[in-house]
Amino acid sequence: KCAAHANSLKSEIVLAHHGEDLSWLSQYTGKDNLKVSIYSKGEELPVVDGASTMPLPNVGRESHTFLHHIVQNYDELADWTLF
C-alpha cells in the first residue's frame, strides 16, 4: 500500500434505513478501524451513537443507497465494506 493509504479506514458497515429498529447496531459502533454509515430514507433520522447518519430521498431501493455510497466515496472507500 502507498503511504497515503496506510492510515485509511479498514472496514465500514453501510446501512440502508427506513424506520427499522437499529438497536442491534450498537455492538458494532465505537470499534477501531470500523466506521458505521447509515443512509436514512425515512422521515426521521435515527440516532445511533458512534454512527454517521445521512438523509437520502426515498427513491429507489437499497441498491440505490449502496450505489450512492460507492459513487460519493469512490476515492475513499474502506478496504472492506459490508452492505
Side-chain angles (χ1 to χ4, degrees):
K1 290 185 176 182
C2 69
H5 196 65
N7 293 325
S8 68
L9 185 62
K10 298 293 181 195
S11 302
E12 182 171 16
I13 297 172
V14 176
L15 295 177
H17 172 265
H18 190 282
E20 299 87 4
D21 176 25
L22 297 177
S23 60
W24 60 271
L25 195 55
S26 63
Q27 64 185 318
Y28 300 104
T29 57
K31 308 278 186 194
D32 289 340
N33 292 319
L34 176 63
K35 180 179 180 183
V36 177
S37 298
I38 304 167
Y39 291 93
S40 181
K41 295 185 175 188
E43 293 180 18
E44 294 184 25
L45 289 178
V47 177
V48 178
D49 288 338
S52 299
T53 307
M54 290 79 50
L56 278 181
N58 189 15
V59 297
R61 296 183 59 102
E62 69 280 352
S63 57
H64 166 265
T65 304
F66 302 151
L67 182 59
H68 172 84
H69 176 80
I70 292 168
V71 169
Q72 294 300 310
N73 298 284
Y74 189 78
D75 291 329
E76 300 172 0
L77 290 170
D79 293 335
W80 295 93
T81 302
L82 175 64
F83 293 97

